[in-house]
PDB file of all heavy atoms in Angstrom:
ATOM      1  N   HIS A   1     -11.689   5.230  22.976  1.00  0.00           N
ATOM      2  CA  HIS A   1     -11.770   5.770  21.621  1.00  0.00           C
ATOM      3  C   HIS A   1     -10.696   5.114  20.737  1.00  0.00           C
ATOM      4  O   HIS A   1      -9.510   5.146  21.070  1.00  0.00           O
ATOM      5  CB  HIS A   1     -11.553   7.287  21.654  1.00  0.00           C
ATOM      6  CG  HIS A   1     -11.569   7.926  20.307  1.00  0.00           C
ATOM      7  ND1 HIS A   1     -12.741   8.138  19.591  1.00  0.00           N
ATOM      8  CD2 HIS A   1     -10.565   8.397  19.526  1.00  0.00           C
ATOM      9  CE1 HIS A   1     -12.450   8.711  18.443  1.00  0.00           C
ATOM     10  NE2 HIS A   1     -11.149   8.887  18.368  1.00  0.00           N
ATOM     11  N   ASN A   2     -11.120   4.523  19.628  1.00  0.00           N
ATOM     12  CA  ASN A   2     -10.172   3.788  18.780  1.00  0.00           C
ATOM     13  C   ASN A   2     -10.200   4.216  17.315  1.00  0.00           C
ATOM     14  O   ASN A   2      -9.600   3.569  16.462  1.00  0.00           O
ATOM     15  CB  ASN A   2     -10.434   2.278  18.873  1.00  0.00           C
ATOM     16  CG  ASN A   2     -11.839   1.908  18.436  1.00  0.00           C
ATOM     17  OD1 ASN A   2     -12.616   2.753  17.985  1.00  0.00           O
ATOM     18  ND2 ASN A   2     -12.190   0.641  18.560  1.00  0.00           N
ATOM     19  N   LEU A   3     -10.883   5.323  17.026  1.00  0.00           N
ATOM     20  CA  LEU A   3     -10.992   5.762  15.641  1.00  0.00           C
ATOM     21  C   LEU A   3      -9.637   6.113  15.035  1.00  0.00           C
ATOM     22  O   LEU A   3      -9.420   5.950  13.830  1.00  0.00           O
ATOM     23  CB  LEU A   3     -11.931   6.975  15.540  1.00  0.00           C
ATOM     24  CG  LEU A   3     -12.316   7.445  14.131  1.00  0.00           C
ATOM     25  CD1 LEU A   3     -12.975   6.311  13.341  1.00  0.00           C
ATOM     26  CD2 LEU A   3     -13.245   8.649  14.198  1.00  0.00           C
ATOM     27  N   PHE A   4      -8.706   6.549  15.882  1.00  0.00           N
ATOM     28  CA  PHE A   4      -7.375   6.919  15.389  1.00  0.00           C
ATOM     29  C   PHE A   4      -6.656   5.734  14.738  1.00  0.00           C
ATOM     30  O   PHE A   4      -5.789   5.909  13.881  1.00  0.00           O
ATOM     31  CB  PHE A   4      -6.517   7.495  16.520  1.00  0.00           C
ATOM     32  CG  PHE A   4      -6.097   6.495  17.548  1.00  0.00           C
ATOM     33  CD1 PHE A   4      -4.873   5.828  17.438  1.00  0.00           C
ATOM     34  CD2 PHE A   4      -6.920   6.199  18.630  1.00  0.00           C
ATOM     35  CE1 PHE A   4      -4.472   4.894  18.378  1.00  0.00           C
ATOM     36  CE2 PHE A   4      -6.525   5.268  19.583  1.00  0.00           C
ATOM     37  CZ  PHE A   4      -5.299   4.611  19.461  1.00  0.00           C
ATOM     38  N   LEU A   5      -7.024   4.513  15.132  1.00  0.00           N
ATOM     39  CA  LEU A   5      -6.374   3.333  14.558  1.00  0.00           C
ATOM     40  C   LEU A   5      -6.679   3.181  13.072  1.00  0.00           C
ATOM     41  O   LEU A   5      -5.908   2.548  12.343  1.00  0.00           O
ATOM     42  CB  LEU A   5      -6.818   2.072  15.311  1.00  0.00           C
ATOM     43  CG  LEU A   5      -6.218   1.850  16.705  1.00  0.00           C
ATOM     44  CD1 LEU A   5      -6.858   0.642  17.366  1.00  0.00           C
ATOM     45  CD2 LEU A   5      -4.707   1.678  16.626  1.00  0.00           C
ATOM     46  N   SER A   6      -7.790   3.753  12.628  1.00  0.00           N
ATOM     47  CA  SER A   6      -8.143   3.641  11.207  1.00  0.00           C
ATOM     48  C   SER A   6      -7.080   4.290  10.327  1.00  0.00           C
ATOM     49  O   SER A   6      -6.831   3.838   9.207  1.00  0.00           O
ATOM     50  CB  SER A   6      -9.506   4.286  10.935  1.00  0.00           C
ATOM     51  OG  SER A   6      -9.451   5.691  11.137  1.00  0.00           O
ATOM     52  N   HIS A   7      -6.442   5.357  10.839  1.00  0.00           N
ATOM     53  CA  HIS A   7      -5.405   6.031  10.055  1.00  0.00           C
ATOM     54  C   HIS A   7      -4.189   5.110   9.857  1.00  0.00           C
ATOM     55  O   HIS A   7      -3.602   5.063   8.785  1.00  0.00           O
ATOM     56  CB  HIS A   7      -4.977   7.321  10.739  1.00  0.00           C
ATOM     57  CG  HIS A   7      -6.134   8.224  11.082  1.00  0.00           C
ATOM     58  ND1 HIS A   7      -7.027   8.659  10.135  1.00  0.00           N
ATOM     59  CD2 HIS A   7      -6.544   8.739  12.264  1.00  0.00           C
ATOM     60  CE1 HIS A   7      -7.937   9.421  10.720  1.00  0.00           C
ATOM     61  NE2 HIS A   7      -7.665   9.484  12.019  1.00  0.00           N
ATOM     62  N   PHE A   8      -3.835   4.386  10.920  1.00  0.00           N
ATOM     63  CA  PHE A   8      -2.736   3.419  10.809  1.00  0.00           C
ATOM     64  C   PHE A   8      -3.121   2.276   9.882  1.00  0.00           C
ATOM     65  O   PHE A   8      -2.301   1.794   9.096  1.00  0.00           O
ATOM     66  CB  PHE A   8      -2.382   2.868  12.195  1.00  0.00           C
ATOM     67  CG  PHE A   8      -1.758   3.871  13.110  1.00  0.00           C
ATOM     68  CD1 PHE A   8      -2.496   4.507  14.093  1.00  0.00           C
ATOM     69  CD2 PHE A   8      -0.409   4.195  12.984  1.00  0.00           C
ATOM     70  CE1 PHE A   8      -1.916   5.437  14.936  1.00  0.00           C
ATOM     71  CE2 PHE A   8       0.192   5.122  13.816  1.00  0.00           C
ATOM     72  CZ  PHE A   8      -0.575   5.750  14.797  1.00  0.00           C
ATOM     73  N   TYR A   9      -4.385   1.859   9.977  1.00  0.00           N
ATOM     74  CA  TYR A   9      -4.862   0.749   9.150  1.00  0.00           C
ATOM     75  C   TYR A   9      -4.728   1.074   7.665  1.00  0.00           C
ATOM     76  O   TYR A   9      -4.121   0.307   6.901  1.00  0.00           O
ATOM     77  CB  TYR A   9      -6.317   0.436   9.498  1.00  0.00           C
ATOM     78  CG  TYR A   9      -6.873  -0.759   8.755  1.00  0.00           C
ATOM     79  CD1 TYR A   9      -6.805  -2.027   9.318  1.00  0.00           C
ATOM     80  CD2 TYR A   9      -7.455  -0.631   7.491  1.00  0.00           C
ATOM     81  CE1 TYR A   9      -7.313  -3.137   8.644  1.00  0.00           C
ATOM     82  CE2 TYR A   9      -7.952  -1.721   6.811  1.00  0.00           C
ATOM     83  CZ  TYR A   9      -7.875  -2.967   7.398  1.00  0.00           C
ATOM     84  OH  TYR A   9      -8.355  -4.053   6.717  1.00  0.00           O
ATOM     85  N   PHE A  10      -5.288   2.203   7.252  1.00  0.00           N
ATOM     86  CA  PHE A  10      -5.261   2.564   5.831  1.00  0.00           C
ATOM     87  C   PHE A  10      -3.852   2.877   5.340  1.00  0.00           C
ATOM     88  O   PHE A  10      -3.497   2.551   4.199  1.00  0.00           O
ATOM     89  CB  PHE A  10      -6.198   3.742   5.564  1.00  0.00           C
ATOM     90  CG  PHE A  10      -7.643   3.376   5.627  1.00  0.00           C
ATOM     91  CD1 PHE A  10      -8.437   3.820   6.672  1.00  0.00           C
ATOM     92  CD2 PHE A  10      -8.214   2.563   4.658  1.00  0.00           C
ATOM     93  CE1 PHE A  10      -9.781   3.476   6.741  1.00  0.00           C
ATOM     94  CE2 PHE A  10      -9.557   2.201   4.720  1.00  0.00           C
ATOM     95  CZ  PHE A  10     -10.341   2.659   5.773  1.00  0.00           C
ATOM     96  N   THR A  11      -3.038   3.495   6.216  1.00  0.00           N
ATOM     97  CA  THR A  11      -1.663   3.831   5.813  1.00  0.00           C
ATOM     98  C   THR A  11      -0.821   2.580   5.621  1.00  0.00           C
ATOM     99  O   THR A  11      -0.132   2.434   4.598  1.00  0.00           O
ATOM    100  CB  THR A  11      -1.001   4.746   6.858  1.00  0.00           C
ATOM    101  OG1 THR A  11      -1.763   5.956   6.982  1.00  0.00           O
ATOM    102  CG2 THR A  11       0.424   5.097   6.443  1.00  0.00           C
ATOM    103  N   PHE A  12      -0.859   1.671   6.579  1.00  0.00           N
ATOM    104  CA  PHE A  12      -0.059   0.449   6.466  1.00  0.00           C
ATOM    105  C   PHE A  12      -0.588  -0.458   5.362  1.00  0.00           C
ATOM    106  O   PHE A  12       0.188  -1.134   4.687  1.00  0.00           O
ATOM    107  CB  PHE A  12      -0.026  -0.293   7.805  1.00  0.00           C
ATOM    108  CG  PHE A  12       0.983   0.238   8.763  1.00  0.00           C
ATOM    109  CD1 PHE A  12       0.594   0.941   9.898  1.00  0.00           C
ATOM    110  CD2 PHE A  12       2.345   0.062   8.543  1.00  0.00           C
ATOM    111  CE1 PHE A  12       1.528   1.456  10.780  1.00  0.00           C
ATOM    112  CE2 PHE A  12       3.294   0.565   9.418  1.00  0.00           C
ATOM    113  CZ  PHE A  12       2.884   1.268  10.540  1.00  0.00           C
ATOM    114  N   GLN A  13      -1.910  -0.477   5.182  1.00  0.00           N
ATOM    115  CA  GLN A  13      -2.461  -1.271   4.085  1.00  0.00           C
ATOM    116  C   GLN A  13      -1.923  -0.758   2.763  1.00  0.00           C
ATOM    117  O   GLN A  13      -1.520  -1.541   1.890  1.00  0.00           O
ATOM    118  CB  GLN A  13      -3.990  -1.191   4.093  1.00  0.00           C
ATOM    119  CG  GLN A  13      -4.640  -1.917   2.925  1.00  0.00           C
ATOM    120  CD  GLN A  13      -6.143  -1.920   3.026  1.00  0.00           C
ATOM    121  OE1 GLN A  13      -6.751  -2.913   3.405  1.00  0.00           O
ATOM    122  NE2 GLN A  13      -6.781  -0.813   2.680  1.00  0.00           N
ATOM    123  N   PHE A  14      -1.907   0.559   2.595  1.00  0.00           N
ATOM    124  CA  PHE A  14      -1.400   1.170   1.366  1.00  0.00           C
ATOM    125  C   PHE A  14       0.082   0.862   1.164  1.00  0.00           C
ATOM    126  O   PHE A  14       0.503   0.455   0.076  1.00  0.00           O
ATOM    127  CB  PHE A  14      -1.620   2.685   1.429  1.00  0.00           C
ATOM    128  CG  PHE A  14      -0.960   3.440   0.315  1.00  0.00           C
ATOM    129  CD1 PHE A  14      -1.373   3.283  -1.002  1.00  0.00           C
ATOM    130  CD2 PHE A  14       0.089   4.308   0.572  1.00  0.00           C
ATOM    131  CE1 PHE A  14      -0.753   3.972  -2.037  1.00  0.00           C
ATOM    132  CE2 PHE A  14       0.704   5.008  -0.445  1.00  0.00           C
ATOM    133  CZ  PHE A  14       0.284   4.841  -1.756  1.00  0.00           C
ATOM    134  N   LEU A  15       0.882   1.041   2.202  1.00  0.00           N
ATOM    135  CA  LEU A  15       2.331   0.817   2.091  1.00  0.00           C
ATOM    136  C   LEU A  15       2.662  -0.645   1.777  1.00  0.00           C
ATOM    137  O   LEU A  15       3.456  -0.938   0.877  1.00  0.00           O
ATOM    138  CB  LEU A  15       3.029   1.235   3.385  1.00  0.00           C
ATOM    139  CG  LEU A  15       3.201   2.736   3.610  1.00  0.00           C
ATOM    140  CD1 LEU A  15       3.711   2.997   5.023  1.00  0.00           C
ATOM    141  CD2 LEU A  15       4.151   3.326   2.590  1.00  0.00           C
ATOM    142  N   LEU A  16       2.066  -1.556   2.518  1.00  0.00           N
ATOM    143  CA  LEU A  16       2.423  -2.968   2.385  1.00  0.00           C
ATOM    144  C   LEU A  16       1.890  -3.584   1.091  1.00  0.00           C
ATOM    145  O   LEU A  16       2.574  -4.396   0.459  1.00  0.00           O
ATOM    146  CB  LEU A  16       1.922  -3.740   3.607  1.00  0.00           C
ATOM    147  CG  LEU A  16       2.589  -3.323   4.925  1.00  0.00           C
ATOM    148  CD1 LEU A  16       1.923  -4.005   6.113  1.00  0.00           C
ATOM    149  CD2 LEU A  16       4.079  -3.628   4.907  1.00  0.00           C
ATOM    150  N   LEU A  17       0.695  -3.206   0.689  1.00  0.00           N
ATOM    151  CA  LEU A  17       0.191  -3.719  -0.585  1.00  0.00           C
ATOM    152  C   LEU A  17       0.906  -3.074  -1.767  1.00  0.00           C
ATOM    153  O   LEU A  17       1.058  -3.698  -2.819  1.00  0.00           O
ATOM    154  CB  LEU A  17      -1.324  -3.504  -0.688  1.00  0.00           C
ATOM    155  CG  LEU A  17      -2.170  -4.417   0.199  1.00  0.00           C
ATOM    156  CD1 LEU A  17      -3.651  -4.149   0.007  1.00  0.00           C
ATOM    157  CD2 LEU A  17      -1.867  -5.893  -0.070  1.00  0.00           C
ATOM    158  N   SER A  18       1.382  -1.840  -1.595  1.00  0.00           N
ATOM    159  CA  SER A  18       2.219  -1.227  -2.634  1.00  0.00           C
ATOM    160  C   SER A  18       3.497  -2.037  -2.801  1.00  0.00           C
ATOM    161  O   SER A  18       3.951  -2.293  -3.921  1.00  0.00           O
ATOM    162  CB  SER A  18       2.560   0.219  -2.264  1.00  0.00           C
ATOM    163  OG  SER A  18       1.414   1.051  -2.290  1.00  0.00           O
ATOM    164  N   GLY A  19       4.085  -2.454  -1.681  1.00  0.00           N
ATOM    165  CA  GLY A  19       5.283  -3.288  -1.732  1.00  0.00           C
ATOM    166  C   GLY A  19       5.019  -4.625  -2.382  1.00  0.00           C
ATOM    167  O   GLY A  19       5.818  -5.112  -3.195  1.00  0.00           O
ATOM    168  N   PHE A  20       3.870  -5.221  -2.048  1.00  0.00           N
ATOM    169  CA  PHE A  20       3.511  -6.515  -2.641  1.00  0.00           C
ATOM    170  C   PHE A  20       3.355  -6.398  -4.152  1.00  0.00           C
ATOM    171  O   PHE A  20       3.930  -7.192  -4.917  1.00  0.00           O
ATOM    172  CB  PHE A  20       2.215  -7.029  -2.017  1.00  0.00           C
ATOM    173  CG  PHE A  20       1.658  -8.242  -2.700  1.00  0.00           C
ATOM    174  CD1 PHE A  20       2.189  -9.499  -2.456  1.00  0.00           C
ATOM    175  CD2 PHE A  20       0.606  -8.126  -3.605  1.00  0.00           C
ATOM    176  CE1 PHE A  20       1.681 -10.630  -3.106  1.00  0.00           C
ATOM    177  CE2 PHE A  20       0.090  -9.243  -4.254  1.00  0.00           C
ATOM    178  CZ  PHE A  20       0.631 -10.488  -3.998  1.00  0.00           C
ATOM    179  N   TYR A  21       2.599  -5.389  -4.598  1.00  0.00           N
ATOM    180  CA  TYR A  21       2.354  -5.266  -6.043  1.00  0.00           C
ATOM    181  C   TYR A  21       3.581  -4.771  -6.800  1.00  0.00           C
ATOM    182  O   TYR A  21       3.733  -5.064  -7.990  1.00  0.00           O
ATOM    183  CB  TYR A  21       1.131  -4.392  -6.302  1.00  0.00           C
ATOM    184  CG  TYR A  21      -0.144  -5.146  -6.010  1.00  0.00           C
ATOM    185  CD1 TYR A  21      -0.948  -4.813  -4.929  1.00  0.00           C
ATOM    186  CD2 TYR A  21      -0.519  -6.238  -6.792  1.00  0.00           C
ATOM    187  CE1 TYR A  21      -2.094  -5.539  -4.641  1.00  0.00           C
ATOM    188  CE2 TYR A  21      -1.653  -6.969  -6.516  1.00  0.00           C
ATOM    189  CZ  TYR A  21      -2.436  -6.619  -5.436  1.00  0.00           C
ATOM    190  OH  TYR A  21      -3.559  -7.356  -5.150  1.00  0.00           O
ATOM    191  N   TYR A  22       4.456  -4.064  -6.121  1.00  0.00           N
ATOM    192  CA  TYR A  22       5.724  -3.700  -6.754  1.00  0.00           C
ATOM    193  C   TYR A  22       6.533  -4.958  -7.077  1.00  0.00           C
ATOM    194  O   TYR A  22       7.249  -5.025  -8.074  1.00  0.00           O
ATOM    195  CB  TYR A  22       6.542  -2.795  -5.829  1.00  0.00           C
ATOM    196  CG  TYR A  22       7.867  -2.369  -6.416  1.00  0.00           C
ATOM    197  CD1 TYR A  22       7.943  -1.296  -7.309  1.00  0.00           C
ATOM    198  CD2 TYR A  22       9.045  -3.043  -6.090  1.00  0.00           C
ATOM    199  CE1 TYR A  22       9.159  -0.917  -7.865  1.00  0.00           C
ATOM    200  CE2 TYR A  22      10.263  -2.668  -6.640  1.00  0.00           C
ATOM    201  CZ  TYR A  22      10.316  -1.606  -7.524  1.00  0.00           C
ATOM    202  OH  TYR A  22      11.523  -1.237  -8.076  1.00  0.00           O
ATOM    203  N   THR A  23       6.385  -5.957  -6.238  1.00  0.00           N
ATOM    204  CA  THR A  23       7.103  -7.224  -6.419  1.00  0.00           C
ATOM    205  C   THR A  23       6.497  -8.089  -7.521  1.00  0.00           C
ATOM    206  O   THR A  23       7.220  -8.711  -8.304  1.00  0.00           O
ATOM    207  CB  THR A  23       7.120  -8.027  -5.098  1.00  0.00           C
ATOM    208  OG1 THR A  23       7.723  -7.236  -4.075  1.00  0.00           O
ATOM    209  CG2 THR A  23       7.915  -9.318  -5.245  1.00  0.00           C
ATOM    210  N   VAL A  24       5.164  -8.131  -7.603  1.00  0.00           N
ATOM    211  CA  VAL A  24       4.535  -9.070  -8.536  1.00  0.00           C
ATOM    212  C   VAL A  24       4.242  -8.480  -9.917  1.00  0.00           C
ATOM    213  O   VAL A  24       4.094  -9.233 -10.886  1.00  0.00           O
ATOM    214  CB  VAL A  24       3.224  -9.651  -7.947  1.00  0.00           C
ATOM    215  CG1 VAL A  24       3.517 -10.445  -6.684  1.00  0.00           C
ATOM    216  CG2 VAL A  24       2.203  -8.544  -7.672  1.00  0.00           C
ATOM    217  N   LEU A  25       4.140  -7.153 -10.011  1.00  0.00           N
ATOM    218  CA  LEU A  25       3.922  -6.560 -11.338  1.00  0.00           C
ATOM    219  C   LEU A  25       5.211  -6.636 -12.154  1.00  0.00           C
ATOM    220  O   LEU A  25       6.294  -6.356 -11.640  1.00  0.00           O
ATOM    221  CB  LEU A  25       3.457  -5.109 -11.209  1.00  0.00           C
ATOM    222  CG  LEU A  25       2.020  -4.909 -10.703  1.00  0.00           C
ATOM    223  CD1 LEU A  25       1.713  -3.438 -10.486  1.00  0.00           C
ATOM    224  CD2 LEU A  25       1.008  -5.523 -11.667  1.00  0.00           C
ATOM    225  N   GLU A  26       5.095  -7.006 -13.405  1.00  0.00           N
ATOM    226  CA  GLU A  26       6.275  -7.290 -14.219  1.00  0.00           C
ATOM    227  C   GLU A  26       6.769  -6.111 -15.046  1.00  0.00           C
ATOM    228  O   GLU A  26       7.962  -6.009 -15.329  1.00  0.00           O
ATOM    229  CB  GLU A  26       5.963  -8.471 -15.153  1.00  0.00           C
ATOM    230  CG  GLU A  26       5.646  -9.758 -14.390  1.00  0.00           C
ATOM    231  CD  GLU A  26       5.182 -10.865 -15.305  1.00  0.00           C
ATOM    232  OE1 GLU A  26       4.983 -10.589 -16.523  1.00  0.00           O
ATOM    233  OE2 GLU A  26       4.991 -12.002 -14.829  1.00  0.00           O
ATOM    234  N   LYS A  27       5.878  -5.216 -15.453  1.00  0.00           N
ATOM    235  CA  LYS A  27       6.281  -4.110 -16.314  1.00  0.00           C
ATOM    236  C   LYS A  27       7.002  -3.020 -15.522  1.00  0.00           C
ATOM    237  O   LYS A  27       6.524  -2.580 -14.474  1.00  0.00           O
ATOM    238  CB  LYS A  27       5.066  -3.523 -17.031  1.00  0.00           C
ATOM    239  CG  LYS A  27       4.433  -4.489 -18.027  1.00  0.00           C
ATOM    240  CD  LYS A  27       3.300  -3.833 -18.784  1.00  0.00           C
ATOM    241  CE  LYS A  27       2.702  -4.796 -19.814  1.00  0.00           C
ATOM    242  NZ  LYS A  27       1.579  -4.179 -20.568  1.00  0.00           N
ATOM    243  N   ALA A  28       8.125  -2.562 -16.061  1.00  0.00           N
ATOM    244  CA  ALA A  28       8.938  -1.554 -15.384  1.00  0.00           C
ATOM    245  C   ALA A  28       8.172  -0.251 -15.177  1.00  0.00           C
ATOM    246  O   ALA A  28       8.310   0.408 -14.135  1.00  0.00           O
ATOM    247  CB  ALA A  28      10.215  -1.287 -16.183  1.00  0.00           C
ATOM    248  N   LYS A  29       7.338   0.131 -16.146  1.00  0.00           N
ATOM    249  CA  LYS A  29       6.566   1.375 -16.032  1.00  0.00           C
ATOM    250  C   LYS A  29       5.574   1.313 -14.876  1.00  0.00           C
ATOM    251  O   LYS A  29       5.362   2.298 -14.170  1.00  0.00           O
ATOM    252  CB  LYS A  29       5.832   1.663 -17.346  1.00  0.00           C
ATOM    253  CG  LYS A  29       6.735   2.115 -18.482  1.00  0.00           C
ATOM    254  CD  LYS A  29       5.911   2.473 -19.717  1.00  0.00           C
ATOM    255  CE  LYS A  29       6.822   2.965 -20.845  1.00  0.00           C
ATOM    256  NZ  LYS A  29       6.041   3.320 -22.066  1.00  0.00           N
ATOM    257  N   GLN A  30       4.978   0.152 -14.689  1.00  0.00           N
ATOM    258  CA  GLN A  30       4.019  -0.007 -13.597  1.00  0.00           C
ATOM    259  C   GLN A  30       4.727   0.045 -12.242  1.00  0.00           C
ATOM    260  O   GLN A  30       4.224   0.667 -11.295  1.00  0.00           O
ATOM    261  CB  GLN A  30       3.271  -1.333 -13.758  1.00  0.00           C
ATOM    262  CG  GLN A  30       2.379  -1.376 -14.980  1.00  0.00           C
ATOM    263  CD  GLN A  30       1.753  -2.732 -15.211  1.00  0.00           C
ATOM    264  OE1 GLN A  30       2.071  -3.717 -14.527  1.00  0.00           O
ATOM    265  NE2 GLN A  30       0.845  -2.809 -16.183  1.00  0.00           N
ATOM    266  N   ARG A  31       5.884  -0.576 -12.166  1.00  0.00           N
ATOM    267  CA  ARG A  31       6.660  -0.553 -10.919  1.00  0.00           C
ATOM    268  C   ARG A  31       7.159   0.857 -10.620  1.00  0.00           C
ATOM    269  O   ARG A  31       7.152   1.301  -9.462  1.00  0.00           O
ATOM    270  CB  ARG A  31       7.830  -1.536 -11.031  1.00  0.00           C
ATOM    271  CG  ARG A  31       7.392  -2.990 -11.083  1.00  0.00           C
ATOM    272  CD  ARG A  31       8.455  -3.878 -11.719  1.00  0.00           C
ATOM    273  NE  ARG A  31       9.635  -3.979 -10.888  1.00  0.00           N
ATOM    274  CZ  ARG A  31       9.902  -4.999 -10.070  1.00  0.00           C
ATOM    275  NH1 ARG A  31       9.026  -5.988  -9.951  1.00  0.00           N
ATOM    276  NH2 ARG A  31      11.012  -5.043  -9.379  1.00  0.00           N
ATOM    277  N   ARG A  32       7.552   1.568 -11.664  1.00  0.00           N
ATOM    278  CA  ARG A  32       7.992   2.949 -11.490  1.00  0.00           C
ATOM    279  C   ARG A  32       6.838   3.816 -11.015  1.00  0.00           C
ATOM    280  O   ARG A  32       7.016   4.717 -10.185  1.00  0.00           O
ATOM    281  CB  ARG A  32       8.562   3.479 -12.812  1.00  0.00           C
ATOM    282  CG  ARG A  32       9.031   4.940 -12.762  1.00  0.00           C
ATOM    283  CD  ARG A  32      10.095   5.154 -11.712  1.00  0.00           C
ATOM    284  NE  ARG A  32      10.524   6.541 -11.670  1.00  0.00           N
ATOM    285  CZ  ARG A  32      11.205   7.071 -10.661  1.00  0.00           C
ATOM    286  NH1 ARG A  32      11.544   6.313  -9.610  1.00  0.00           N
ATOM    287  NH2 ARG A  32      11.563   8.338 -10.693  1.00  0.00           N
ATOM    288  N   TRP A  33       5.658   3.553 -11.543  1.00  0.00           N
ATOM    289  CA  TRP A  33       4.474   4.294 -11.146  1.00  0.00           C
ATOM    290  C   TRP A  33       4.192   4.114  -9.656  1.00  0.00           C
ATOM    291  O   TRP A  33       3.824   5.074  -8.962  1.00  0.00           O
ATOM    292  CB  TRP A  33       3.293   3.815 -11.988  1.00  0.00           C
ATOM    293  CG  TRP A  33       2.034   4.597 -11.753  1.00  0.00           C
ATOM    294  CD1 TRP A  33       1.757   5.861 -12.159  1.00  0.00           C
ATOM    295  CD2 TRP A  33       0.886   4.141 -11.042  1.00  0.00           C
ATOM    296  NE1 TRP A  33       0.496   6.232 -11.755  1.00  0.00           N
ATOM    297  CE2 TRP A  33      -0.061   5.199 -11.067  1.00  0.00           C
ATOM    298  CE3 TRP A  33       0.551   2.945 -10.399  1.00  0.00           C
ATOM    299  CZ2 TRP A  33      -1.310   5.085 -10.458  1.00  0.00           C
ATOM    300  CZ3 TRP A  33      -0.693   2.844  -9.800  1.00  0.00           C
ATOM    301  CH2 TRP A  33      -1.610   3.909  -9.836  1.00  0.00           C
TER     302      TRP A  33
END
């Protein structure tokens, strides 16, 4: 059974892409958001 891995997938995808876009977005309000 591997369905539990989906929770790690979506969580890490959210965290890491949040970090990426925090770096590349230029407006302070967007980064604060």
Side-chain angles (χ1 to χ4, degrees):
H1 178 75
N2 59 4
L3 188 57
F4 70 93
L5 285 174
S6 67
H7 308 304
F8 292 100
Y9 184 92
F10 287 110
T11 300
F12 278 109
Q13 176 175 258
F14 172 66
L15 284 171
L16 295 173
L17 287 181
S18 292
F20 171 79
Y21 284 111
Y22 180 82
T23 302
V24 297
L25 288 174
E26 298 173 353
K27 294 184 178 180
K29 288 184 178 180
Q30 294 174 353
R31 292 158 68 99
R32 179 58 180 164
W33 185 73

